[in-house]
Amino acid sequence: MGKKTILAISGSLRSPSFTEKMLDLCIEGMGENIEIRKFYPHKMNIGPCISCWACWSKKTPGECVQKDDFQEILDVYQRADYFLWAFPLYYFSFPATVKNVIDRFFITLKPSQYLSARGTTEHPKRFDSHPKAVLISSCGFPEIENFDIVRQHFKKICDESDWHWAGEILISAAGVSNVPKLFDDKYDLIKKAGMDLVDGVISKEISDAIAAPVMDAKDYREICTAHFSGGIMGIAKTLSIGIKAVINKK
Ligand SMILES: Cc1cc2nc3c(=O)[nH]c(=O)nc-3n(C[C@H](O)[C@H](O)[C@H](O)COP(=O)(O)O)c2cc1C
């Protein structure tokens, strides 16, 4: 069997990025028989869609007037088996640089409108084959519900684009990801999610286990507050709550 192509968007503007770590673990779990093409939108020259409709015109169908780095992503997209979107949650949604890339995928749609089998109005797609798409994200608040809006949004984009939604890998309370051992079981589970993906979709059981809280939400709020308040007291509180969380985890 030929190698599967993975198109990955690594959307954190931070380095090192926790979300990119999640992405890399998922890719690791997908095994050896893969070709990985990872893109960092914020490091690329990608202009925003200017809504000129040239890609929908009869004269230049499917052609963008902006000759920039988005073409590299689009070239890989056309042969991609998997499309992994990894980004930190910003204001309950995509970072602007990631949303910018999504908007440029407008070129993959054709202008007419029809009633889809889903019962919603959609555009026909320009390409015939479509990758499996996965949402990978982390956030700084403790509740997993902070992802509700972006989960729904991502699914809607998958529907409109004919990407085959294949699951999600979501972690809240990422502010304590540097506390030793707290996330270790999640790292193994993310690799398992990658294995799942090769066989089909990431199972709900694995997604739920990855999303399970690592510590009490009240303690989490306190440790984050103490961390940013700094000073001796802040450090002492950070350490004591961190140690408590690790002990409770055992
Ligand atoms: C501009 C900005 C907006 C953010 N918005 C949210 C948010 O709406 N909800 C949330 O829980 N965390 C929010 N966060 C926290 C990040 O999602 C969190 O720190 C994430 O784990 C960072 O991942 P990274 O290391 O991959 O960049 C925000 C962070 C920044 C810088």
Coordinates of all heavy atoms in Angstrom, one line a residue, residues 19-56:
T19 N 0.0 22.7 21.6 CA -0.9 22.1 20.6 C -0.1 21.4 19.5 O -0.5 20.4 19.0 CB -1.7 23.2 20.0 OG1 -2.1 24.2 21.0 CG2 -3.0 22.6 19.3
E20 N 1.1 21.9 19.2 CA 1.9 21.3 18.2 C 2.4 19.9 18.8 O 2.6 18.9 18.0 CB 3.1 22.1 17.8 CG 3.9 21.4 16.7 CD 4.9 22.3 16.0 OE1 5.4 23.2 16.6 OE2 5.2 22.0 14.8
K21 N 2.7 19.9 20.1 CA 3.1 18.6 20.7 C 2.0 17.6 20.5 O 2.2 16.4 20.2 CB 3.4 18.8 22.2 CG 3.8 17.6 22.9 CD 4.2 17.9 24.3 CE 4.7 16.6 25.0 NZ 5.4 16.9 26.3
M22 N 0.7 18.0 20.7 CA -0.4 17.1 20.5 C -0.5 16.6 19.0 O -0.7 15.4 18.8 CB -1.7 17.9 20.8 CG -1.9 18.2 22.3 SD -3.2 19.5 22.6 CE -4.7 18.6 22.1
L23 N -0.3 17.6 18.1 CA -0.3 17.2 16.7 C 0.8 16.2 16.4 O 0.6 15.2 15.7 CB 0.0 18.5 15.9 CG 0.3 18.3 14.4 CD1 -0.9 17.8 13.7 CD2 0.7 19.7 13.8
D24 N 2.0 16.4 16.9 CA 3.1 15.5 16.6 C 2.9 14.1 17.2 O 3.3 13.1 16.6 CB 4.4 16.1 17.2 CG 4.9 17.3 16.3 OD1 4.4 17.5 15.2 OD2 5.7 18.1 16.8
L25 N 2.3 14.0 18.4 CA 2.0 12.7 19.0 C 1.0 12.0 18.2 O 1.1 10.8 18.0 CB 1.4 12.9 20.4 CG 2.5 13.4 21.5 CD1 1.8 13.9 22.7 CD2 3.4 12.2 21.8
C26 N 0.0 12.7 17.6 CA -1.0 12.1 16.8 C -0.4 11.5 15.5 O -0.6 10.4 15.1 CB -2.1 13.1 16.4 SG -3.3 12.5 15.3
I27 N 0.5 12.3 14.9 CA 1.2 11.9 13.7 C 2.1 10.7 14.0 O 2.1 9.7 13.3 CB 2.1 13.0 13.1 CG1 1.1 14.1 12.6 CG2 3.0 12.5 12.1 CD1 1.9 15.4 12.2
E28 N 2.7 10.7 15.2 CA 3.6 9.5 15.6 C 2.7 8.3 15.7 O 3.1 7.2 15.2 CB 4.2 9.9 17.0 CG 5.3 8.9 17.4 CD 5.8 9.2 18.8 OE1 5.8 10.4 19.2 OE2 6.2 8.3 19.5
G29 N 1.5 8.4 16.2 CA 0.6 7.3 16.3 C 0.2 6.7 15.0 O -0.3 5.6 14.9
M30 N 0.3 7.5 14.0 CA -0.2 7.1 12.6 C 0.8 6.2 11.9 O 0.5 5.7 10.9 CB -0.5 8.3 11.8 CG -1.7 9.1 12.3 SD -2.1 10.6 11.4 CE -3.0 9.9 10.0
G31 N 1.9 6.0 12.6 CA 2.9 5.0 12.0 C 3.8 5.5 11.0 O 4.0 6.7 10.9
E32 N 4.4 4.6 10.3 CA 5.5 4.9 9.4 C 5.1 5.2 7.9 O 5.8 5.9 7.2 CB 6.5 3.7 9.3 CG 7.1 3.4 10.7 CD 8.1 4.4 11.2 OE1 9.0 4.7 10.4 OE2 8.0 4.8 12.3
N33 N 4.0 4.6 7.6 CA 3.6 4.6 6.2 C 2.9 6.0 5.8 O 1.8 6.0 5.2 CB 2.7 3.4 5.9 CG 2.6 3.1 4.4 OD1 3.5 3.4 3.7 ND2 1.5 2.5 4.0
I34 N 3.6 7.0 6.1 CA 3.0 8.3 5.9 C 4.0 9.4 5.3 O 5.2 9.3 5.6 CB 2.3 8.9 7.2 CG1 3.3 8.9 8.3 CG2 1.0 8.2 7.5 CD1 2.8 9.5 9.6
E35 N 3.5 10.3 4.6 CA 4.3 11.4 4.2 C 3.6 12.6 4.9 O 2.4 12.9 4.8 CB 4.2 11.6 2.6 CG 4.9 12.8 2.1 CD 4.3 13.5 0.9 OE1 3.4 12.9 0.3 OE2 4.8 14.6 0.6
I36 N 4.5 13.4 5.6 CA 3.9 14.5 6.4 C 4.3 15.8 5.7 O 5.5 16.1 5.5 CB 4.4 14.5 7.8 CG1 4.1 13.2 8.5 CG2 3.8 15.7 8.6 CD1 5.1 12.9 9.6
R37 N 3.3 16.7 5.5 CA 3.6 18.0 5.1 C 2.9 19.0 6.1 O 1.7 19.1 6.2 CB 3.0 18.3 3.7 CG 3.6 17.4 2.6 CD 5.1 17.7 2.4 NE 5.4 19.2 2.3 CZ 5.3 19.8 1.1 NH1 4.9 19.2 0.0 NH2 5.5 21.1 1.1
K38 N 3.8 19.6 6.9 CA 3.3 20.4 8.0 C 3.5 21.9 7.6 O 4.6 22.2 7.2 CB 4.0 20.1 9.3 CG 3.4 20.6 10.5 CD 4.3 20.7 11.7 CE 4.5 19.4 12.4 NZ 5.4 19.6 13.6
F39 N 2.5 22.7 7.8 CA 2.6 24.1 7.5 C 2.3 25.0 8.7 O 1.5 24.7 9.5 CB 1.6 24.5 6.4 CG 2.0 23.8 5.1 CD1 1.4 22.6 4.7 CD2 2.9 24.4 4.2 CE1 1.7 22.0 3.5 CE2 3.2 23.8 3.0 CZ 2.6 22.6 2.6
Y40 N 3.1 26.1 8.8 CA 2.9 27.1 9.9 C 2.4 28.4 9.2 O 3.2 29.2 8.7 CB 4.2 27.4 10.6 CG 4.9 26.2 11.2 CD1 5.7 25.3 10.5 CD2 4.6 25.9 12.5 CE1 6.3 24.2 11.0 CE2 5.2 24.8 13.1 CZ 6.1 23.9 12.4 OH 6.6 22.8 12.9
P41 N 1.1 28.6 9.2 CA 0.5 29.7 8.5 C 1.1 31.1 8.8 O 1.3 31.9 8.0 CB -1.0 29.7 8.9 CG -1.3 28.3 9.3 CD 0.0 27.8 9.9
H42 N 1.4 31.3 10.2 CA 2.0 32.6 10.6 C 3.4 32.8 10.1 O 3.9 34.0 10.2 CB 1.9 32.7 12.1 CG 2.6 31.5 12.8 ND1 2.0 30.3 12.9 CD2 3.7 31.4 13.4 CE1 2.7 29.5 13.5 NE2 3.8 30.1 13.9
K43 N 4.0 31.8 9.6 CA 5.4 32.0 9.0 C 5.4 32.1 7.5 O 6.4 32.2 6.9 CB 6.3 30.8 9.4 CG 6.6 30.7 10.9 CD 7.5 29.6 11.2 CE 7.7 29.4 12.7 NZ 8.4 28.2 13.1
M44 N 4.2 32.0 7.0 CA 4.0 32.0 5.5 C 3.5 33.3 5.0 O 2.8 34.0 5.7 CB 3.1 30.8 5.1 CG 3.7 29.5 5.5 SD 2.5 28.2 5.3 CE 2.5 27.9 3.5
N45 N 3.7 33.6 3.7 CA 3.1 34.7 3.1 C 1.8 34.3 2.5 O 1.7 33.8 1.4 CB 4.1 35.3 2.0 CG 3.5 36.4 1.2 OD1 2.7 37.2 1.7 ND2 3.8 36.4 -0.1
I46 N 0.7 34.5 3.3 CA -0.6 34.1 2.8 C -1.6 35.3 3.0 O -1.8 35.7 4.2 CB -1.2 32.9 3.6 CG1 -0.2 31.7 3.4 CG2 -2.6 32.6 3.1 CD1 -0.6 30.5 4.1
G47 N -2.0 35.9 1.9 CA -2.9 37.1 2.0 C -4.3 36.6 2.4 O -4.7 35.5 2.1
P48 N -5.1 37.6 2.9 CA -6.5 37.2 3.2 C -7.3 37.2 1.9 O -7.0 37.9 1.0 CB -6.9 38.4 4.1 CG -6.0 39.5 3.8 CD -4.7 38.9 3.3
C49 N -8.3 36.4 1.9 CA -9.2 36.4 0.7 C -9.8 37.8 0.6 O -10.3 38.4 1.5 CB -10.3 35.4 0.9 SG -11.6 35.4 -0.4
I50 N -9.7 38.3 -0.7 CA -10.1 39.7 -0.9 C -11.5 39.7 -1.5 O -12.0 40.8 -2.0 CB -9.1 40.5 -1.7 CG1 -8.8 39.8 -3.0 CG2 -7.9 40.8 -0.9 CD1 -8.0 40.7 -4.0
S51 N -12.2 38.6 -1.6 CA -13.5 38.5 -2.1 C -13.7 39.2 -3.5 O -14.7 39.9 -3.7 CB -14.5 39.2 -1.1 OG -15.8 39.1 -1.5
C52 N -12.7 38.9 -4.4 CA -12.8 39.5 -5.7 C -13.6 38.6 -6.7 O -13.9 39.1 -7.8 CB -11.4 39.7 -6.3 SG -10.5 38.2 -6.6
W53 N -13.9 37.4 -6.3 CA -14.7 36.4 -7.0 C -14.0 36.0 -8.3 O -14.6 35.3 -9.1 CB -16.1 37.0 -7.4 CG -16.8 37.5 -6.2 CD1 -17.0 38.9 -5.9 CD2 -17.4 36.8 -5.1 NE1 -17.7 39.0 -4.7 CE2 -17.9 37.8 -4.2 CE3 -17.5 35.5 -4.8 CZ2 -18.6 37.4 -3.0 CZ3 -18.1 35.1 -3.6 CH2 -18.6 36.1 -2.7
A54 N -12.7 36.3 -8.5 CA -12.0 35.8 -9.7 C -12.0 34.3 -9.8 O -12.1 33.7 -10.9 CB -10.6 36.3 -9.7
C55 N -11.9 33.6 -8.6 CA -11.8 32.1 -8.7 C -13.2 31.5 -9.0 O -13.3 30.4 -9.3 CB -11.3 31.6 -7.3 SG -12.4 31.9 -5.9
W56 N -14.2 32.4 -9.0 CA -15.6 31.9 -9.4 C -16.0 32.5 -10.8 O -17.1 32.2 -11.2 CB -16.6 32.4 -8.3 CG -16.7 31.5 -7.1 CD1 -15.8 30.5 -6.8 CD2 -17.7 31.6 -6.1 NE1 -16.2 30.0 -5.6 CE2 -17.4 30.6 -5.2 CE3 -18.8 32.3 -5.9 CZ2 -18.2 30.3 -4.0 CZ3 -19.6 32.1 -4.8 CH2 -19.3 31.1 -3.8

